[in-house]
Amino acid sequence: MRSIREIKNIKGKTALLRVDFNVPIKNGEVEDDFRIRAALPTIKFLIKKGAKVVLITHLGKDGTESLYPVIKRFFEISKIALEKVTFFDNVRKFLGEMENDQAFAKKLSAMGDIYVNDAFSVSHREHASVVSLPKYLPSYAGFQLEEEVKNLSHAFKNPKHPFLFILGGAKFSTKMPLIKKYLELADQVFIGGALANDFLKAKGYEVGQSLVDDTNYGISRILENEKLILPVDVIVKSQDKLINKKANEVGKDEIILDIGKETVENLAPLIKKAKLILWNGPLGKCEDGGEKSTEEILKLVSVSKAESIIGGGDTVALVSDMKMEKEFSFVSTGGGATLEFLANGTLLGIKALE
Ligand code: 3PG
């Protein structure tokens, strides 16, 4: 990837900058502006070099959402003068974007002189503004994209040891390749969140009404791996009460909400000893009151001496809520993109810049 630092002279030229300002919106306001802040160094650099910047982003799945709250927040926090930056409309509003239509990509390219991708978190999508636009213009990687590639690569290119991988959240199918890969690369792989329910169930434990993914992904073979660590106790919701129980004592009507106290205590020394911690996905059902252990583990990781790499939309939202972003070595802006990059070592949008 060529860096924007290599651009010779862009004074007066127009840079089409693909950012990912797909941020949560609530009551017409941006709830979390982490992704917007992450793109500011690149935007400010291009402006300082005299370029005109056109920002291209999507918001939401289908392009129907207005960019207004995003634009408002962008100008509030960036303090960039209105005339320095233009926003292209929500790019998913145009059918050609998600269909990766070449005519659409060409039309986009006609708006600028160079293309910059600073949208790591959407770089796993085969969309026109991600993979095709760079074919029609001199193309570069923005600072955030470079940082994501550099930092996340530490997990699979000569990782430091002891290396602890913590994986939570749901969506078993997207995480199975990661579990397999990091059972080889890491020294311990701790599984929490809804993923752990599947493992506990495969062990023959009752998981009650907890969220499980019943597809058979060959869990039983993984269960034999000595690097695998599962919760020994859990917090369950039982008739509106939260109870800490042994993982093998969950009742038929109960729902597992979080990992238990003993599990957190068992993880603490591993976190302390680790030189590298990679973490993706919450360890409990945060939206239902199961966020405590994730918060506690975040605190433990933040004070450990390990290089700490945190990713995944929900985990990062908690980090952002707790105002702890600066306390980790690297916090990724990606959700699905981070998982795919960690599994495959590259993304379509990155390859398009090479
Ligand atoms: C994300 O939020 O992970 C990215 O913006 C990609 O969004 P998508 O999953 O709708 O493609």
Side-chain angles (χ1 to χ4, degrees):
M1 294 191 305
R2 272 173 306 166
S3 164
I4 47 174
R5 288 186 195 87
E6 291 171 38
I7 308 176
K8 292 274 170 335
N9 186 7
I10 44 168
K11 197 158 190 241
K13 294 198 176 144
T14 300
L16 300 184
L17 175 56
R18 180 55 162 110
V19 288
D20 184 357
F21 289 173
N22 185 29
V23 292
I25 309 282
K26 200 172 172 188
N27 302 326
E29 294 281 338
V30 170
E31 245 193 320
D32 177 21
D33 54 23
F34 178 54
R35 283 182 174 173
I36 303 179
R37 282 183 280 119
L40 294 181
T42 294
I43 300 170
K44 290 187 173 168
F45 176 87
L46 293 169
I47 292 174
K48 206 166 157 211
K49 293 276 174 193
K52 289 183 212 137
V53 177
V54 177
L55 294 177
I56 303 177
T57 185
H58 70 285
L59 179 64
K61 286 274 169 209
D62 57 6
T64 53
E65 288 188 46
S66 155
L67 285 186
Y68 179 75
V70 168
I71 297 173
K72 186 167 158 263
R73 179 65 64 88
F74 170 80
F75 283 106
E76 271 165 19
I77 61 173
S78 68
K79 312 268 190 290
I80 293 172
L82 272 173
E83 64 277 11
K84 304 260 188 204
V85 172
T86 313
F87 270 84
F88 186 71
D89 207 344
N90 186 344
V91 69
R92 287 196 184 168
K93 196 169 161 181
F94 304 89
L95 281 181
E97 168 67 355
M98 297 217 271
E99 288 173 359
N100 189 20
D101 178 58
Q102 296 307 296
F104 177 63
K106 262 193 202 154
K107 264 195 189 164
L108 285 178
S109 73
M111 297 190 309
D113 305 297
I114 65 160
Y115 168 80
V116 179
N117 180 344
D118 209 21
F120 173 83
S121 45
V122 72
S123 291
H124 56 318
R125 299 290 184 219
E126 197 173 7
H127 294 173
S129 67
V130 178
V131 295
S132 293
L133 188 47
K135 285 199 246 169
Y136 302 110
L137 289 172
S139 300
Y140 302 88
F143 296 136
Q144 181 63 24
L145 179 59
E146 282 183 333
E147 282 298 303
E148 296 272 2
V149 169
K150 187 180 90 187
N151 285 284
L152 296 177
S153 299
H154 291 175
F156 51 83
K157 284 191 181 153
N158 299 321
K160 293 179 205 158
H161 293 277
F163 173 10
L164 171 64
F165 180 39
I166 303 176
L167 189 63
K171 296 192 202 137
F172 214 99
S173 54
T174 56
K175 291 181 178 161
M176 201 55 179
L178 276 187
I179 297 174
K180 288 193 175 148
K181 179 167 176 170
Y182 288 91
L183 274 171
E184 297 202 356
L185 288 169
D187 299 290
Q188 292 108 5
V189 174
F190 173 77
I191 307 279
L195 287 185
N197 301 344
D198 293 280
F199 281 92
L200 297 175
K201 193 173 169 195
K203 273 181 97 163
Y205 294 177
E206 175 64 58
V207 292
Q209 305 300 307
S210 316
L211 183 66
V212 281
D213 179 343
D214 275 325
T215 326
N216 184 350
Y217 292 106
I219 295 184
S220 39
R221 223 169 328 127
I222 294 176
L223 279 177
E224 290 159 18
N225 195 309
E226 283 177 3
K227 292 180 179 179
L228 183 77
I229 307 172
L230 293 174
V232 291
D233 62 340
V234 290
I235 309 280
V236 297
K237 191 172 178 183
S238 179
Q239 293 172 346
D240 284 340
K241 274 200 245 122
L242 301 188
I243 310 171
N244 201 130
K245 282 194 159 185
K246 290 270 179 224
N248 59 357
E249 288 173 0
V250 175
K252 278 198 167 33
D253 297 324
E254 296 172 341
I255 302 179
I256 301 176
L257 281 192
D258 204 353
I259 60 172
K261 219 169 145 228
E262 196 183 329
T263 304
V264 174
E265 280 164 14
N266 292 347
L267 271 175
L270 299 180
I271 292 171
K272 206 165 173 197
K273 260 202 292 179
K275 291 230 166 62
L276 174 63
I277 300 171
L278 172 66
W279 180 355
N280 193 295
L283 304 178
K285 222 170 161 219
C286 296
E287 67 280 16
D288 273 340
E291 72 286 348
K292 292 260 173 346
S293 69
T294 305
E295 288 173 1
E296 266 175 62
I297 302 281
L298 278 173
K299 283 184 200 147
L300 290 174
V301 173
S302 74
V303 295
S304 85
K305 292 198 178 73
E307 175 178 355
S308 49
I309 304 173
I310 317 283
D314 297 329
T315 326
V316 173
L318 263 184
V319 169
S320 192
D321 270 2
M322 293 166 78
K323 309 235 174 314
M324 287 178 75
E325 284 153 31
K326 297 225 157 53
E327 299 182 37
F328 303 98
S329 313
F330 184 69
V331 180
S332 174
T333 52
T338 306
L339 293 175
E340 229 180 282
F341 186 81
L342 289 171
N344 303 329
T346 190
L347 297 176
L348 292 171
I350 294 172
K351 282 197 211 150
L353 295 177
E354 283 163 0

